[in-house]
Amino acid sequence: MLQINERLISWASILEEETRRQAEKASRLPFIHPHIALMPDAHLGKGATVGSVIPTLGAIIPAAVGVDIGCGMAAVRTQYHRDDLVGDLRRLRTSIEEAVPLSAGSYNSRLTESARRRVDQLTGEAETAGFDPLRYAKNWPLQLGTLGSGNHFIEVCHDESGSVWLFLHSGSRGVGNRIATHHIRVAQDLMRQRRIDLPDRDLAYLEEGSDQFDAYLRELRWAQNFALINRDEMMDRVIACFAEFVGGPVEQRERVQCHHNYTERETHYGEQVWLSRKGAINAGRGVAGLIPGSMGDASYVVVGKGNAAALNSSPHGAGRAFSRTAARRAFTREQLREAMKGIEFRDTDAFLDEIPQAYKPIDVVMRDAEDLVEVRHTLRQMVNVKGD
């Protein structure tokens, strides 16, 4: 742990100077209480640093949640052992790819029965919240149960004992992105109208008690729940594919869910704050969490230690060391193949920007996080599914 200033504490042993400067800008906002906690995987983001935990009094910064509201992880531990997975794992990978629409802009052509039930639930929640998600995305019901691209993934893994886990990473898809983008713009317009000077226009905020704040909070909470239910729908489909592959039912011995782009009301240092975790998970004492490595690397099932200075938070993954463009210039298809040796994956140049070398070493991130979480399980990939 390193205290950079009275309002910024960092757990990152690898921290680019530009990232540090960005976090320092946010830490100077007058409503931060008591400080921003910078996680071991911190890297440059839009306005607010990815891998930062931002507690605010009487305000929320929409960009401190980010445009993928509710993005996070889900994992299920099955009763199967890695030795039970006999046969061509390519068949399992392709069946998952057929069951779950991948990539940006790729959605369901129709709703399954389970997806329809979940859409009905979300429709009711939106009505209660007083808004219509159709204003943001006409096809939002068809987005439920879809993965997206970038660093979103589905994996079949095994832990240190050989137990097989199903593991995935996704968020609130296009509808969440449009909700976030709208409210970031609303906040920026308000700052201009009120002539409030900010260190970065993407740190524009909404004040508690205003109509704009209330509207954002209602829609934010809906999008967070959409993301969680989206992961549930995908996980159910992955379980079905896995059950067909192994030729038997799947017993869910453990199921873990966690957001890592979200805002909640929490109490820290004697004050109720709006706590925005942008690329960080809840690591309150005893709280289960998931920290993925990059494709080809280890991932972790953890339990929080409740570190007060870290605002009961921990990293959400490895954290980028190269931008996507820089990674595509720096690495080759052969290096990607070498990194993914022994793992069933779709061999394509589309994933060059997701090569493990484009990220901070996950073992360094986890070493930095030793006083934030305890590792319960270390997961190794057998099958990797991603969108282009």
Side-chain angles (χ1 to χ4, degrees):
M1 184 182 82
L2 171 66
Q3 182 151 351
I4 294 174
N5 62 47
E6 64 179 7
R7 289 196 169 193
L8 181 62
I9 299 177
S10 173
W11 277 259
S13 63
I14 303 173
L15 187 63
E16 293 181 342
E17 185 57 34
E18 192 174 359
T19 302
R20 174 179 170 144
R21 284 198 299 268
Q22 183 183 60
E24 286 179 321
K25 286 180 183 178
S27 75
R28 291 196 292 269
L29 292 169
F31 46 78
I32 299 297
H33 173 82
H35 57 257
I36 289 175
L38 212 52
M39 297 292 100
D41 55 339
H43 63 277
L44 204 64
K46 188 174 174 61
T49 305
V50 178
S52 62
V53 185
I54 303 179
T56 51
L57 290 169
I60 294 178
I61 306 164
V65 180
V67 294
D68 194 358
I69 297 171
C71 188
M73 309 296 306
V76 165
R77 180 168 63 93
T78 76
Q79 79 273 33
Y80 291 98
H81 189 273
R82 64 172 179 262
D83 294 341
D84 297 325
L85 273 64
V86 296
D88 186 2
L89 290 176
R90 183 177 182 276
R91 181 165 60 87
L92 175 57
R93 174 177 62 80
T94 56
S95 72
I96 294 172
E97 291 172 344
E98 290 167 3
V100 179
L102 311 175
S103 306
S106 180
Y107 306 121
N108 299 291
S109 57
R110 61 182 179 82
L111 290 177
T112 63
E113 184 180 344
S114 65
R116 189 172 300 281
R117 287 196 305 270
R118 286 170 165 139
V119 164
D120 288 345
Q121 176 190 337
L122 286 163
T123 300
E125 290 175 359
E127 289 173 356
T128 300
F131 86 105
D132 185 356
L134 290 173
R135 84 178 253 218
Y136 293 107
K138 297 292 186 186
N139 67 343
W140 76 262
L142 297 178
Q143 296 178 19
L144 190 75
T146 67
L147 184 68
S149 57
N151 60 358
H152 293 170
F153 64 76
I154 300 168
E155 293 173 350
V156 180
C157 307
H158 66 83
D159 66 18
E160 63 286 342
S161 69
S163 292
V164 174
W165 290 72
L166 308 176
F167 198 56
L168 62 84
H169 171 206
S170 191
S172 54
R173 305 296 281 114
V175 65
N177 182 294
R178 291 187 180 183
I179 288 171
T181 300
H182 167 74
H183 290 286
I184 290 170
R185 191 177 301 120
V186 167
Q188 290 172 340
D189 289 345
L190 283 170
M191 298 296 99
R192 277 195 298 271
Q193 291 167 18
R194 297 175 59 189
R195 297 182 180 178
I196 293 175
D197 187 31
L198 294 169
D200 185 320
R201 69 188 298 266
D202 286 314
L203 292 174
Y205 57 88
L206 300 170
E207 290 186 324
E208 191 170 0
S210 68
D211 291 343
Q212 296 90 342
F213 179 98
D214 292 343
Y216 176 59
L217 192 60
R218 289 193 300 269
E219 296 177 15
L220 168 77
R221 285 174 167 165
W222 182 88
Q224 287 176 180
N225 201 37
F226 178 99
L228 186 147
I229 291 174
N230 183 43
R231 290 192 290 273
D232 278 341
E233 175 65 23
M234 282 189 288
M235 183 59 78
D236 288 350
R237 297 184 193 183
V238 172
I239 288 170
C241 293
F242 184 78
E244 182 179 0
F245 181 80
V246 297
V250 173
E251 177 185 322
Q252 298 184 46
R253 294 190 170 174
E254 188 172 356
R255 191 162 181 150
V256 182
Q257 266 263 36
C258 64
H259 290 320
H260 52 229
N261 286 358
Y262 70 112
T263 291
E264 287 291 348
R265 195 71 155 150
E266 296 186 13
T267 299
H268 293 278
Y269 288 80
E271 292 279 1
Q272 273 207 322
V273 299
W274 295 103
L275 193 75
S276 297
R277 292 184 173 100
K278 183 175 184 178
I281 65 171
N282 183 352
R285 182 170 296 279
V287 176
L290 301 165
I291 303 177
S294 56
M295 65 185 294
D297 251 336
S299 295
Y300 300 88
V301 182
V302 300
V303 64
K305 292 185 175 181
N307 187 305
L311 307 173
N312 290 348
S313 303
S314 82
H316 80 310
R320 294 199 73 90
F322 287 74
S323 71
R324 295 192 180 280
T325 301
R328 290 191 167 280
R329 291 181 185 141
F331 304 110
T332 67
R333 181 91 160 266
E334 284 305 314
Q335 287 174 301
L336 177 61
R337 287 173 177 154
E338 181 64 27
M340 297 298 287
K341 187 176 290 184
I343 300 169
E344 172 57 40
F345 80 113
R346 187 152 43 95
D347 188 352
T348 168
D349 282 343
F351 302 150
L352 271 181
D353 54 10
E354 285 294 299
I355 192 171
Q357 295 94 312
Y359 286 80
K360 294 182 182 182
I362 190 63
D363 56 339
V364 174
V365 169
M366 296 307 294
R367 187 167 63 244
D368 289 349
E370 282 180 351
D371 62 342
L372 309 180
V373 292
E374 177 186 343
V375 174
R376 291 179 50 234
H377 298 289
T378 301
L379 307 185
R380 303 287 177 179
Q381 298 163 40
M382 293 182 284
V383 177
N384 176 279
V385 173
K386 293 181 71 70
D388 295 339

